[in-house]
Amino acid sequence: MASPAPVQTLDLSARFPGVLSPDTRPGYSGWILDNSNLLKFATALRDELGYDYLSSVTAVDYLPEDKMEVVYHVYKTTGGAGVLFKIQIPRSDPMEVHSLVSIYPGAELQEREAWDLFGIKFTGHPDLRRILMWEGFSGHPMRKDWHEPYFEEEAKPLKSRWPDGKMIMAENKNRYGDNITYPDGFNPERQTFDPEKALYEALRTYQKDEVGLDTDHIIVNMGPQHPSTHGVFRIAVVLDGEKIVNLKPVMGYLHRNHEKIGERNTFIMNMPYTDRLDYLSSMSNNFGYALAVEKLMNVKPTERAEYIRVMMAEMTRIASHLMAIGALLNDLGAYFTPMLYALEERELLLDIFEAVSGSRMMCNYFRFGGVARDFPESALQKIKDIFFERLPRKIDEIDRFLSENEIIRSRGIGQGVLTAEDAIKYSAAGPLLRASGIPYDVRRAEPYSIYDRFEFDVVVRSNGDIYDRLMVRFDEIRQSIRIVQQAVKQLPEGPVMALKPMYQVRVPPGEAYGRVEGPKGELGFYIISNGKPTPWRYHVRAPSFINLTAFGPICIGQKVADVVAVLGSIDIVLGEVDR
Amino acid sequence: MSDMYGKGILKGLSVSLKRFFETYVDDLSWLGKRYHTDKGIAHRGSKDARGIFTVQYPEEKIPVPEEFRFVPFLVYDEGPNGEKTLRCTSCGICAKVCPPQCIWIVRSTDPATGRPIPDPAKFFIDADICMNCGLCAEFCPFDAIKMDHDYELATFHRNVYDETRLSKSAQYYENIRPVNANREDAARAAKAASRTGQGE
Amino acid sequence: MESNELNSPDFEIPPELQAQVAITSLDKIYNWGRSASVWPLMFGLACCAIEMICAAASRFDIARFGMEIMRPSPRQSDLMIISGTVTKKMIPIIVRLYNQMPEPKYVLAMGACASGGGPFKEGYNVVSGVDKFIPVDVYVPGCPPTPQALLKGLMKIQEKIKGEPIKTARWYQKGPDMAEIPVPMLGPDLIDPRKIPLITNGEKN
């Protein structure tokens, strides 16, 4: 394509005269509107124009222009390009924007994140607390004038490493031996700290059932250290006997400051960091990031690189789904055996990743304009062997193993139901959305790369319960096997990089939102560049994080024993949830 | 369900029973050569793998592929008298491109003139920060820093490597990465030949 | 002296030999039993946890080392494998779990993040290595270390256990029990109670 196409093609300014103004900054697109018109505009967008799926809500700090901006991406579930609109507010406390939770409930967790990291208050939000940091933390970390304790320079590479790189470990430069600073005049002996108070107060606001005996409701913490494979995730549950009355997920135990570090890194340095987001499917993350930056740079990868990218992305999808199936069956009680069978197949796929990219999990394989290196003939032969001869029958074997099992069926069918309207409302994505009956797949809705050349079906199931989410994953593995078989047959010869390999990438100023269909859902990268070697804003639209908005409403009314099964069927990865 | 309740459980049990018997059948069919042999290890990582999948570390080790990357190392060329010259010219590109900035380089200066000479005086890599991404090896213009295959690095203390710990010979590099080493040697020889050709 | 004198049952054994001979072979048996059945705490934080699960799966079986019982409860485990980035929000929980483990207990820092902060070291929510708070026995570098590298680290723990004589074992010494590590608190930033005098002194400056 000659120039990046604008995100929306319909002329909204004619439909909403006087309310919207187009964003005319060079490289930018979308609409800017005022906070006072936000709720009316959003309601009209959803009800009259049919844009019912809120994909991403994020904030940007424009310190030099003394502005904060809140950016919204909205799509239609019938597919196609979306609408991008922004609210600009002056950068002085208090910063208030109307909350969209009443119109798009999927904005709940994302608005809490914008409050936590930027300090923007969303008026009308039902529960505005910090989400990734703890209550009582001083400051809003993603602001441009907030510096972390190990701060040396605004952008890497750091001058202290070369040519006079005397090695000093960073903690030896800090007086507390770790990256800690306190506000001036802080005396820990004169105060008590209770970061949990706000959580328990929020838990107590729920509909009390007035019928029957007046019983006590207990609060149970399914804490961060948990014998389940999903990682450090905490669930606070209010129980009436065994029935769940209210449920709040607590996250942030693995918040690794990906976005702040991303702003200090150059563009090429961010590629290995994206591996560590959804660490089970590293090449999908690389894919999304490479797409976003290639949109900004206006570069198209070579043909062979496109085929290799699709093959690697689909193989990562299979590896991730195998782990998800194993973990879900583990949670349902089949203690570790299905996990071992699934991991055996995954190990063979990881062998291929190791031969191609160098590492089993953190592949760091994609570059802007193609892939890092070509793969040897032995790896291609291995792919052919596994995908034409072994994997299809092994998947059928694991399917036969447990899908008709009476225990799995009675624990799965009809439990943990998410209806289709709720799935769209709560911005669910990926297998969670498709198991509830909405056939939305980014590879079909807004095709990227060369997915329009392959024949595959979008997998949909209608009930939206735990069993359907499990079966959707099996079917998606089969569709991915189909895609890889077609790609292997059509693989052309040629170079794998469109540009010369360079470590200082010149990215023109502008914004881009690159989204891919990851194994967990729609993974989006929103990148703003101002022409410098490092991005100005780097935001990850994490599917596992936003799928957790639906977690609370699914579980209310269920028994407490189903919480673990529902969490396993939503399939979260903490690296993505907490970034 | 019209047929017997429990049919699904029995179906699943037949799968695990089949795998159970396969372990013995496969073991016997190899007549004792299944373990501790290269062919046996390769079989357990191929598409025909069935039965016992375990590779018994430390007696059996899965051979790592050529592209495998763990912590980096510095390559030195050995001269005819055994003197070791590091290929590194302390240009600093690896330190500039390292994502977590875990490389510290002190460039040497000529004591007489005070001007920099292309040799590292000190070269530190903090292996407790290194994320094994391989960008340093990918962008080094002198083939001086490469990714190692050695993963048996567990210690009782923190790991900061200096240039003595990091230096390994070019022969070692060719042993672990033959295809890459030959391609790079050929490229360097061609470049040197074209330079001497132009210089005449 | 004559060997038949040594063999008689009422031969006087000199006092400095009395304790020595019995304990070396007792040491060996005691440490062999302990090192062959280390039970790790099932505690996966981040990406390294996936490699730990792969080490526990069928290809790199850790059941061959006696470690397949991964107990979720700290009261029943011997070894804490810190696999993944240690964040400030999570460190109070890690210290509490460490305090709840009964002696003899060991800690293995798996991966770059647990050993020294890793690639996320500059983050404002990341602790630069778990050894800022709890004593670590073995460090396994890598990001993530392959399951074979983790098995090498576990073998180093077994080596360490085999080299510990009973005479100097800290859980058999007379005297006050080993003090618990004070649990850090979450204020405007992470507060380590052992450093409170340092913080208040700074305030006076």
Side-chain angles (χ1 to χ4, degrees):
Chain A
M1 51 184 145
S3 61
V7 171
Q8 75 292 335
T9 48
L10 49 117
D11 192 10
L12 284 178
S13 56
R15 172 75 185 72
F16 299 97
V19 168
L20 297 176
S21 56
D23 192 346
T24 48
R25 291 173 283 188
Y28 284 68
S29 57
W31 306 95
I32 301 185
L33 60 135
D34 195 56
N35 185 24
S36 48
N37 296 321
L38 176 62
L39 290 175
K40 279 200 320 260
F41 174 67
T43 325
L45 200 61
R46 182 190 65 172
D47 296 331
E48 296 168 34
L49 294 172
Y51 285 89
D52 48 356
Y53 186 73
L54 173 71
S55 174
S56 153
V57 178
T58 185
V60 188
D61 184 359
Y62 287 103
L63 178 60
E65 294 144 38
D66 205 27
K67 277 195 308 215
M68 281 267 198
E69 198 174 271
V70 183
V71 180
Y72 300 84
H73 286 85
V74 190
Y75 291 88
K76 283 191 201 178
T77 45
T78 45
V83 173
L84 163 62
F85 59 95
K86 307 162 196 180
I87 310 263
Q88 291 183 340
I89 45 178
R91 196 182 179 280
S92 55
D93 284 317
M95 293 183 276
E96 288 183 351
V97 173
H98 285 302
S99 165
L100 282 190
V101 173
S102 50
I103 305 170
Y104 295 108
E108 183 188 339
L109 295 181
Q110 305 183 69
E111 289 182 348
R112 279 177 65 186
E113 182 189 332
W115 156 242
D116 186 3
L117 297 178
F118 285 89
I120 300 178
K121 272 203 164 65
F122 289 88
T123 51
H125 193 284
D127 182 21
L128 194 67
R129 289 176 288 125
R130 283 193 185 254
I131 188 167
L132 294 174
M133 303 304 290
W134 60 89
E135 291 289 337
F137 185 73
S138 76
H140 295 281
M142 281 296 289
R143 290 190 181 180
K144 288 285 179 182
D145 49 359
W146 193 95
H147 290 152
E148 61 269 19
Y150 280 167
F151 174 73
E152 282 181 52
E153 283 170 45
E154 282 288 341
K156 290 178 188 169
L158 304 172
K159 297 198 180 45
S160 64
R161 304 296 196 260
W162 178 87
D164 200 20
K166 303 229 175 24
M167 164 146 197
I168 314 173
M169 285 173 106
E171 55 257 44
N172 294 339
K173 287 192 268 187
N174 186 304
R175 69 187 297 256
Y176 303 111
D178 202 353
N179 56 346
I180 296 180
T181 50
Y182 300 108
D184 292 329
F186 172 61
N187 192 337
E189 288 170 336
R190 284 203 211 115
Q191 350 173 345
T192 51
F193 308 103
D194 194 2
E196 308 286 312
K197 197 165 74 129
L199 167 68
Y200 293 130
E201 274 170 12
L203 270 177
R204 284 182 229 287
T205 58
Y206 54 85
Q207 294 289 82
K208 254 205 157 83
D209 201 1
E210 303 297 333
V211 188
L213 290 175
D214 186 20
T215 50
D216 239 354
H217 292 185
I218 332 174
I219 297 183
V220 171
N221 268 306
M222 298 175 73
Q225 195 258 333
H226 204 234
S228 131
T229 51
H230 299 286
V232 282
F233 180 63
R234 174 176 164 205
I235 312 171
V237 178
V238 182
L239 293 178
D240 173 18
E242 282 227 10
K243 200 162 68 101
I244 297 176
V245 181
N246 198 0
L247 183 148
K248 289 216 178 288
V250 182
M251 44 201 101
Y253 292 97
L254 196 63
H255 180 51
R256 295 187 280 196
N257 327 132
H258 184 81
E259 298 186 356
K260 188 85 177 174
I261 295 178
E263 287 177 11
R264 304 245 184 267
N265 282 350
T266 60
F267 284 94
I268 189 76
M269 283 183 190
N270 262 328
M271 191 59 92
Y273 277 96
T274 59
D275 282 335
R276 281 132 177 108
L277 277 174
D278 175 1
Y279 36 80
L280 290 169
S281 55
S282 61
M283 302 232 220
S284 274
N285 309 335
N286 287 352
F287 204 171
Y289 181 61
L291 274 184
V293 178
E294 282 169 2
K295 265 191 198 167
L296 279 176
M297 285 170 71
N298 216 352
V299 155
K300 203 162 153 12
T302 63
E303 275 298 300
R304 184 173 168 93
E306 295 266 37
Y307 277 89
I308 293 180
R309 281 184 174 188
V310 167
M311 270 166 52
M312 292 295 145
E314 294 307 313
M315 283 166 60
T316 336
R317 190 187 313 275
I318 297 176
S320 172
H321 279 325
L322 280 171
M323 186 75 170
I325 292 171
L328 172 58
L329 291 173
N330 200 13
D331 289 341
L332 283 173
Y335 187 64
F336 225 56
T337 309
M339 182 88 144
L340 291 179
Y341 292 171
L343 283 180
E344 189 178 318
E345 307 310 315
R346 184 171 173 262
E347 287 284 338
L348 295 173
L349 287 175
L350 292 184
D351 274 349
I352 298 177
F353 289 162
E354 212 178 10
V356 167
S357 72
S359 170
R360 287 152 55 100
M361 272 174 26
M362 307 303 178
C363 297
N364 186 19
Y365 187 51
F366 289 29
R367 300 281 181 266
F368 310 126
V371 292
R373 59 190 81 87
D374 205 349
F375 53 69
E377 191 57 39
S378 55
L380 186 61
Q381 186 53 43
K382 229 180 190 174
I383 297 179
K384 282 185 186 154
D385 281 341
I386 290 187
F387 276 86
F388 286 98
E389 295 178 41
R390 182 180 169 103
L391 205 51
R393 68 181 162 86
K394 282 293 178 180
I395 295 296
D396 286 340
E397 184 184 282
I398 303 180
D399 200 355
R400 211 169 48 229
F401 187 42
L402 277 180
S403 307
E404 289 183 30
N405 192 305
E406 279 76 10
I407 302 177
I408 305 281
R409 290 176 77 99
S410 62
R411 277 202 78 174
I413 297 187
Q415 309 293 328
V417 176
L418 180 68
T419 58
E421 305 87 48
D422 277 350
I424 303 177
K425 254 173 39 179
Y426 292 116
S427 299
L432 185 60
L433 183 64
R434 290 194 282 277
S436 300
I438 314 281
Y440 187 72
D441 185 330
V442 182
R443 297 175 288 174
R444 273 286 148 79
E446 207 184 347
Y448 53 93
S449 185
I450 50 168
Y451 274 103
D452 39 7
R453 297 187 209 174
F454 296 111
E455 272 185 38
F456 64 98
D457 301 322
V458 173
V459 176
V460 168
R461 295 230 168 198
S462 45
N463 291 328
D465 50 26
I466 297 176
Y467 187 73
D468 273 354
R469 287 178 217 134
L470 173 66
M471 298 316 289
V472 156
R473 294 200 163 92
F474 274 114
D475 294 332
E476 282 198 0
I477 294 181
R478 294 194 179 99
Q479 295 303 316
S480 291
I481 294 178
R482 235 173 116 185
I483 297 179
V484 174
Q485 286 174 348
Q486 292 169 48
V488 163
K489 288 194 196 131
Q490 300 172 19
L491 183 65
E493 296 297 327
V496 288
M497 254 299 260
L499 308 170
K500 252 171 26 107
M502 49 184 163
Y503 62 93
Q504 291 194 336
V505 194
R506 287 266 155 257
V507 179
E511 70 177 359
Y513 183 59
R515 56 183 196 142
V516 291
E517 180 74 22
K520 311 283 188 298
E522 174 193 329
L523 173 67
F525 284 84
Y526 179 65
I527 301 182
I528 297 182
S529 153
N530 57 353
K532 296 235 174 65
T534 60
W536 178 257
R537 175 78 172 105
Y538 168 68
H539 172 71
V540 179
R541 187 258 185 224
S544 308
F545 181 56
I546 299 175
N547 286 350
L548 282 175
T549 333
F551 184 39
I554 294 180
C555 284
I556 292 184
Q558 302 277 120
K559 298 277 191 285
V560 70
D562 291 322
V563 169
V564 173
V566 170
L567 187 64
S569 69
I570 295 181
D571 187 28
I572 59 171
V573 168
L574 261 299
E576 224 175 26
V577 170
D578 288 339
R579 269 152 291 143
Chain B
M1 277 171 274
S2 56
D3 32 27
M4 167 181 74
Y5 188 77
K7 183 162 166 248
I9 297 182
L10 284 178
K11 219 175 175 185
L13 280 176
S14 74
V15 170
S16 35
L17 210 59
K18 170 169 141 316
R19 289 180 83 122
F20 176 67
F21 283 122
E22 249 177 15
T23 59
Y24 291 102
V25 165
D26 202 55
D27 259 359
L28 289 173
S29 71
W30 275 76
L31 297 170
K33 294 212 195 55
R34 191 173 196 269
Y35 299 106
H36 305 285
T37 58
D38 285 338
K39 218 163 148 235
I41 299 177
H43 161 83
R44 273 171 273 157
S46 71
K47 67 172 169 80
D48 304 312
R50 57 177 198 152
I52 296 187
F53 192 52
T54 311
V55 175
Q56 295 171 11
Y57 185 84
E59 291 91 17
E60 302 177 311
K61 295 188 190 175
I62 302 180
V64 291
E66 177 169 337
E67 292 291 335
F68 181 69
R69 41 184 163 82
F70 219 69
V71 282
F73 71 97
L74 292 171
V75 184
Y76 64 78
D77 291 312
E78 274 195 59
N81 302 334
E83 75 265 12
K84 306 179 181 170
T85 39
L86 283 174
R87 289 185 193 170
C88 173
T89 59
S90 68
C91 65
I93 289 183
C94 57
K96 288 180 202 156
V97 86
C98 170
Q101 301 279 280
C102 70
I103 299 183
W104 282 264
I105 306 179
V106 180
R107 190 171 55 188
S108 342
T109 44
D110 196 347
T113 61
R115 305 186 65 217
I117 45 178
D119 211 30
K122 294 237 164 260
F123 195 103
F124 294 105
I125 292 185
D126 190 345
D128 286 334
I129 302 182
C130 175
M131 60 202 292
N132 304 353
C133 62
L135 289 182
C136 54
E138 196 174 322
F139 291 111
C140 174
F142 301 102
D143 298 330
I145 183 170
K146 295 289 172 193
M147 302 307 281
D148 204 352
H149 281 185
D150 183 20
Y151 50 80
E152 298 175 336
L153 298 173
T155 52
F156 296 114
H157 48 79
R158 286 245 196 153
N159 302 296
V160 177
Y161 299 153
D162 60 1
E163 63 276 5
T164 38
R165 169 92 170 69
L166 286 170
S167 308
K168 296 194 181 168
S169 69
Q171 185 56 49
Y172 171 76
Y173 172 52
E174 202 179 314
N175 288 345
I176 58 173
R177 286 170 191 254
V179 174
N180 278 319
N182 289 332
R183 187 186 61 222
E184 285 160 13
D185 285 344
R188 251 180 304 137
K191 213 167 159 194
S194 74
R195 234 183 288 130
T196 49
Q198 283 172 355
E200 276 168 13
Chain C
M1 55 188 79
E2 296 294 310
S3 54
N4 25 3
E5 259 193 70
L6 269 176
N7 284 338
S8 68
D10 38 35
F11 178 73
E12 273 279 359
I13 303 182
E16 61 270 14
L17 278 181
Q18 269 178 16
Q20 306 290 57
V21 176
I23 282 193
T24 34
S25 43
L26 188 59
D27 260 350
K28 266 172 101 165
I29 299 177
Y30 183 74
N31 289 336
W32 169 77
R34 283 198 304 133
S35 66
S37 73
V38 179
W39 288 4
L41 175 64
M42 182 190 280
F43 189 50
L45 288 167
C47 352
C48 283
I50 305 296
E51 292 291 47
M52 191 171 72
I53 293 175
C54 283
S58 45
R59 199 182 210 189
F60 305 101
D61 216 352
I62 58 174
R64 299 178 290 123
F65 295 86
M67 302 189 193
E68 90 261 9
I69 314 260
M70 283 201 165
R71 288 289 184 207
S73 160
R75 301 280 187 198
Q76 298 168 5
S77 52
D78 302 310
L79 169 70
M80 192 173 185
I81 304 182
I82 313 263
S83 54
T85 318
V86 179
T87 57
K88 292 181 186 173
K89 207 167 172 182
M90 191 65 194
I91 191 74
I93 294 150
I94 294 180
V95 172
R96 233 181 242 135
L97 286 171
Y98 182 74
N99 287 338
Q100 288 175 350
M101 281 168 72
E103 290 280 6
K105 53 189 172 185
Y106 300 92
V107 175
L108 183 143
M110 175 184 178
C113 291
S115 309
F120 301 99
K121 187 166 181 161
E122 65 205 75
Y124 47 83
N125 193 27
V126 175
V127 174
S128 307
V130 76
D131 56 0
K132 302 271 173 231
F133 287 90
I134 61 180
V136 172
D137 295 300
V138 171
Y139 297 83
V140 183
C143 191
T146 55
Q148 307 196 116
L150 176 65
L151 289 178
K152 180 80 179 166
L154 289 172
M155 283 163 60
K156 272 235 175 309
I157 288 257
Q158 285 185 329
E159 208 181 285
K160 180 168 190 178
I161 295 178
K162 286 189 184 140
E164 284 182 346
I166 302 183
K167 279 189 72 151
T168 52
R170 61 173 184 264
W171 51 91
Y172 287 145
Q173 302 301 326
K174 290 197 179 54
D177 277 337
M178 190 177 102
E180 284 189 353
I181 300 180
V183 178
M185 303 178 282
L186 296 174
D189 206 336
L190 188 68
I191 303 169
D192 186 354
R194 297 171 293 190
K195 297 204 176 121
I196 287 187
L198 188 58
I199 305 173
T200 45
N201 278 338
E203 203 240 308
K204 286 192 198 120
N205 285 348

